[in-house]
Amino acid sequence: MTLFPRTLLEGRRARIPSPATLFAGAAAMFRSFRNRRSARRLADMPDYLLNDIGLRRDDVHEALNRGWREDPTFQLAIKASRRRRGL
């Protein structure tokens, strides 16, 4: 005889993430941390260098002030690409 009903145990197993899911989540968090650090380095660059890669200082600060779930380097790449194409 078990202490928990069978349906409760089955529901619990469904909520436990697999090791692959945990690893993927940890890898995504590490990648996000690394990309955010790279974006902070861009904020330290002089304006003429940012202009060379198609960014403005406001773009960098805006990307860094977004939510922690969003990748700032992805946002900066989109803005630089649009600016280079003249959009």
Side-chain angles (χ1 to χ4, degrees):
M1 183 171 167
T2 63
L3 296 174
F4 300 104
R6 184 177 190 96
T7 55
L8 182 62
L9 288 175
E10 289 173 358
R12 280 215 163 189
R13 282 191 214 124
R15 291 184 196 147
I16 298 173
S18 69
T21 303
L22 290 174
F23 180 75
M29 287 176 64
F30 177 74
R31 187 172 41 254
S32 175
F33 174 74
R34 189 181 63 215
N35 289 345
R36 195 163 278 281
R37 185 175 58 194
S38 297
R40 273 190 245 121
R41 286 185 188 153
L42 281 175
D44 294 337
M45 293 175 73
D47 289 334
Y48 71 92
L49 289 177
L50 288 174
N51 193 25
D52 283 349
I53 59 176
L55 294 173
R56 290 182 290 166
R57 186 159 307 282
D58 294 341
D59 297 335
V60 177
H61 289 296
E62 182 182 324
L64 285 171
N65 288 331
R66 289 185 177 244
W68 63 273
R69 293 180 191 158
E70 294 188 37
D71 183 5
T73 56
F74 180 71
Q75 299 297 324
L76 292 171
I78 290 173
K79 286 190 180 210
S81 174
R82 285 182 180 165
R83 194 161 288 132
R84 275 188 244 127
R85 288 188 294 164
L87 297 176

